[in-house]
Amino acid sequence: MLVVLTGIPGSGKTTLAKRALEILKEEEGKSQYEILNYGDIAFEIAKERDNVQNRDEIRKLKLSEQKEIQRLAAKRIANASKDKSVIIDTHCTISTPKGYIPGLPEWVLRELQPDLMIIIEASPEEIVKRRKKDETRERDDEIKSEIKLHQELNRFIAMSYSTLTGAAVKIIKNPEDKIDETARKLAEILKLN
Amino acid sequence: MLVVLTGIPGSGKTTLAKRALEILKEEEGKSQYEILNYGDIAFEIAKERDNVQNRDEIRKLKLSEQKEIQRLAAKRIANASKDKSVIIDTHCTISTPKGYIPGLPEWVLRELQPDLMIIIEASPEEIVKRRKKDETRERDDEIKSEIKLHQELNRFIAMSYSTLTGAAVKIIKNPEDKIDETARKLAEILKLN
Amino acid sequence: MLVVLTGIPGSGKTTLAKRALEILKEEEGKSQYEILNYGDIAFEIAKERDNVQNRDEIRKLKLSEQKEIQRLAAKRIANASKDKSVIIDTHCTISTPKGYIPGLPEWVLRELQPDLMIIIEASPEEIVKRRKKDETRERDDEIKSEIKLHQELNRFIAMSYSTLTGAAVKIIKNPEDKIDETARKLAEILKLN
C-alpha cells in the first residue's frame, strides 16, 4: 500500500505522521507503515548513477537526467510498497524562483501509482510561526499570502494527480492546538488502507 | 454527441436535466438526448463479467477488475453516443472515507472522450436542505464546509479532465427558486452541441 | 527555452511582455526572447493545410483537423525554441458559449513541452476598465464575476498542464498603477531561464 503524504514546509506533516504511526503502534503492537522521504531516495539514486555528493548537485545535472532520477526514485518506492505499507513524505509542488514546479509530475506518477494522497494543511499564521522557529525571516503579510497561494495550488494539482492515478485525495487540517486529535484522525485513515 | 453532467448529491442535477430535456422536447417535438447513468452501465458490465448481484459487490472485486469495468462502461457509452446524443449522469469526484476519488479517471476519459462537461452547483445551504428531505442527518456546519470543499475539488478536477480530452467545461449555478430559468439555460447549451 | 505567457483578455499581458523585453534589451543590449502568438501560428498552419482565408474558418473544419492544426502549431513553436528563447502569447482556457475550453490540451502540451508558464492576472475591476476601452459593453457585475471565475479556472488548469510537462507555474499580479515594477519582475523571471 502506498500513501503519499504532502504538506508545505511548516504544515507539520512530518511530526503528525510520526504521531499517527505511534498511535497505530500502541493500538496494534506494531505499525505496518514505513515512512520514506522521496528526496532521500532520489538523492540515493543520483549518488549511484551520477556520483553526486550533495543534493544541490542534482539540480546541476541535465534536465533529462534529473527526470530519470525522479522516475527511478518513484519506481524504487513502488517496488518497496509491494511487500509493506509505505508512506512517502514529499511535496505536491515546490516553490522555486521561477515558480511552482510539480513534486509528482506525470513521469513520477506513472511509476508511483499511489493509492492515497494526503494533504496536510495549516493556517498561514501557524505556518509562519512554525517557520520562524527555523529562523526563517521574511515580511509576514507577503509570506502569508504566498502560503495561502501555495496551499491552494497544491489542492489544484492534487486533483490532476488523482485523475492520472485514481488515487483518493484527503485534505487534513492540522491546527496547532489539536495535534493529538488530528494524528488520531490520520491514523484512522491509514487503517482504511 | 456526448455530454457529461455532474453535480454533487443534492445539487439538483437530475431534476434539472429532466426539465431541460422536457423544454427541448416542447420546442423541437422530440429531444435528441438520452440520459444514461454511468453507475448503472458499470453495474451492467459487472453483472456480465463478474456475475455480481448488487453494486456493493463491485467494490469487493480486485482493483484492476474495478478499473476494467469502469473502462468498459465508458467504452459502451462512447459507442452509444455515435448514433445519438447522450447525457451521462455521473460525478466529478466521489466522497469516500479515504478521501475524494475521481469519477472520471484517465482510463475512463480516454474511452469516453466527452465533448462537454457540465457542473451543476448549488449553495451548501440548499444542498443541505435537499439532502434532509432524503433523511440525511449530520452536523450542519461541518457538512456545509464539506459541501463547499467537494464543489471546489470538482471544479479543480474538471479542468484536469478537460486537459486530457479538450472537453468544454460549463459551470451552472442551480438556485432553488429559479429552476425553470436554469433548466432553460441548460437547454440552450445542449442545443449548441 | 520556451515560456508560455497567458492571461485573459484585458489582463494586460501583451503590453507587459513588451515592456519586460524592452527592459531586458536595455540591460543586455539585445533581448534573447522572441514573442510568438499561438493563434497566429495555428492560422499559418491552417492556411497551408486547409487553405482557410480567415480564423473563423478554422472552427468550421472537422474537429480532428482542428486538433491536428493545434498539434502542428505546437510542434512548429517547439522547433523554433530550439535555436532561441521563445515566449508564446496564448490562453490557459478560452471562454466559448459552450463553456471554457483548454488552450493547451494534452496533444498540444506533448509537442510544446514548455519550461515555464506565466499567468498574468489583474483585478476584475481593472480588466473591465481595460476592456471598455476596447468598446466591450456588458453588465458589469456579471462580467466581473465571470472574470473572477475565468481567472480561477486558469489557475486550476495550469496545474494540470504542469503535471503533464513539469513546467514551472508563475502567477504575476498586474495592477494598473505598477506596470513598470511588474514588467521588471517579469524581466527578472525571464532572465532565470
Side-chain angles (χ1 to χ4, degrees), chain C:
Chain C
M1 200 59 64
L2 184 45
V3 178
V4 172
L5 181 74
T6 70
I8 70 171
S11 63
K13 81 177 149 142
T14 310
T15 311
L16 198 69
K18 282 182 192 154
R19 288 229 197 163
L21 294 203
E22 281 168 17
I23 292 167
L24 290 178
K25 224 178 243 169
E26 280 166 31
E27 285 183 6
E28 301 172 6
K30 67 182 183 65
S31 162
Q32 56 172 327
Y33 282 96
E34 182 181 357
I35 302 181
L36 297 177
N37 181 289
Y38 182 75
D40 291 348
I41 314 259
F43 182 38
E44 254 176 40
I45 305 247
K47 278 193 286 195
E48 291 162 20
R49 284 176 60 92
D50 304 290
N51 201 25
V52 305
Q53 305 300 315
N54 59 60
R55 278 148 197 264
D56 289 342
E57 281 181 44
I58 298 177
R59 264 167 275 166
K60 288 169 196 154
L61 296 172
K62 269 175 58 183
L63 194 62
S64 57
E65 178 59 17
Q66 290 185 44
K67 285 188 177 187
E68 187 60 6
I69 291 167
Q70 293 173 349
R71 195 183 67 76
L72 291 171
K75 197 174 180 176
R76 187 168 292 182
I77 293 162
N79 277 332
S81 76
K82 279 178 192 158
D83 312 320
K84 57 186 177 232
S85 291
V86 169
I87 295 174
I88 292 299
D89 191 335
T90 189
H91 297 283
C92 276
T93 64
I94 299 130
S95 176
T96 77
K98 268 170 71 174
Y100 293 94
I101 58 170
L104 300 165
E106 187 190 18
W107 55 91
V108 169
L109 287 173
R110 298 269 182 229
E111 297 288 349
L112 205 58
Q113 292 297 345
D115 303 289
L116 172 59
M117 289 190 293
I118 296 172
I119 305 177
I120 307 298
E121 293 184 350
S123 72
E125 287 71 23
E126 290 190 345
I127 288 175
V128 167
K129 241 193 278 173
R130 285 197 197 115
R131 289 189 187 174
K132 280 205 169 148
K133 292 180 199 158
D134 308 346
E135 304 299 329
T136 309
R137 300 212 190 291
E138 279 188 68
R139 273 184 303 139
D140 274 15
D141 275 357
E142 200 181 303
I143 206 178
K144 271 182 210 163
S145 114
E146 272 171 34
I147 285 169
K148 188 170 171 289
L149 175 64
H150 195 171
Q151 293 197 130
E152 282 173 0
L153 297 180
N154 285 350
R155 285 184 174 201
F156 307 162
I157 207 163
M159 299 321 285
S160 128
Y161 296 165
S162 172
T163 299
L164 293 181
T165 59
V169 173
K170 187 82 184 183
I171 296 169
I172 297 178
K173 295 276 181 192
N174 184 26
E176 193 72 46
D177 57 341
K178 289 184 182 168
I179 290 186
D180 278 318
E181 193 181 315
T182 311
R184 209 159 289 280
K185 204 188 285 179
L186 176 55
E188 288 306 313
I189 290 155
L190 292 173
K191 278 200 271 183
L192 293 175
N193 263 302

Side-chain angles (χ1 to χ4, degrees), chain A residues 110, chain B residues 105-113 164, chain C residues 106 110:
Chain A
R110 297 271 182 226
Chain B
E106 187 190 18
W107 54 93
V108 169
L109 288 173
R110 297 270 181 227
E111 297 288 349
L112 206 58
Q113 293 298 343
L164 293 180
Chain C
E106 187 190 18
R110 298 269 182 229

